[in-house]
Amino acid sequence: MLTFSLTGNTAHVAQVIASKLEPTHQVTHVNLVHCLQGKDVEIRQMHDSLAACDVIGLGSLVWAALPAPKMGDMIRKCDTASFQGKPAFIFSTDGGHAGDTRNVMAEWLAEKGAIPVAQFGCYAPSNWSPGVPAKPNVDRWGTEDIEKAAHFGEELLALLARYQSGGRANVGDDDEGANHGGHHRTHHHRRKLPKQEDLLSSPLI
């Protein structure tokens, strides 16, 4: 699971989603902000985890109604073979307007040959602080938003179980699917994403 989290909010949502996957999946989480800070261990972990994983998760803060530009730069520099044919999920955090963030992230993944299958948007309170990345401002965060993130993780877990069993790929839709056998390691076709109110149950493919 790759995130771009400056203030800790997006990383916090990643942890909530991961908590629902970890009973049956090995989850590796890399905050790309650390990679930009020149931490070689994080950079190696990013490349190694991408190469080894069966499922890719991508999470970003919303930056002027778009995902963090530096995240896109880093994704483009990664080995395409690490993405090719793998199912992927997308999530973002915003203060009230996500804009085209998740559409752009889906395009990044599709350009690398990954298959976006599920996506989620979460409201997160403003949390700027001198520390980068900082801790999430959980005191200002509504429990409903965190519960939605947890619910997305549960739906995602069911989706991955369908992949593992050779069932259909889509969350809430049986029109298309893919078979990816074996143990899944989750790392966090161009298509219009669902509306905000339909995020938890609508697939991308």
Side-chain angles (χ1 to χ4, degrees), residues 31-179:
N31 186 349
L32 297 182
V33 173
H34 295 160
C35 297
L36 288 176
Q37 293 172 336
K39 296 183 179 180
D40 292 340
V41 172
E42 296 281 346
I43 295 172
R44 287 196 300 271
Q45 185 181 31
M46 176 188 71
H47 289 291
D48 292 346
S49 297
L50 276 172
C53 73
D54 294 321
V55 182
I56 297 170
L58 209 60
S60 177
L61 52 82
V62 174
W63 190 301
L66 292 169
K70 289 291 185 181
M71 185 178 209
D73 293 342
M74 298 186 77
I75 294 299
R76 294 185 190 95
K77 292 177 182 178
C78 289
D79 186 0
T80 298
S82 296
F83 292 81
Q84 195 71 39
K86 295 179 180 179
F89 62 94
I90 300 162
F91 60 98
S92 65
T93 58
D94 65 87
H97 179 61
D100 208 32
T101 297
R102 291 182 296 279
N103 278 324
V104 172
M105 294 168 74
E107 290 173 358
W108 290 346
L109 289 166
E111 287 170 2
K112 285 291 188 178
I115 306 168
V117 297
Q119 55 103 33
F120 170 68
C122 186
Y123 168 78
S126 178
N127 188 35
W128 293 105
S129 77
V132 178
K135 294 182 179 180
N137 194 346
V138 294
D139 293 335
R140 296 178 55 191
W141 216 323
T143 56
E144 181 181 354
D145 301 300
I146 297 302
E147 288 172 355
K148 287 180 179 179
H151 181 57
F152 174 73
E154 291 168 352
E155 287 200 332
L156 185 60
L157 181 63
L159 168 66
L160 299 181
R162 293 168 70 182
Y163 265 100
Q164 193 170 19
S165 65
R168 297 292 184 175
N170 297 7
V171 178
D173 186 347
D174 290 331
D175 291 336
E176 299 181 39
N179 183 3

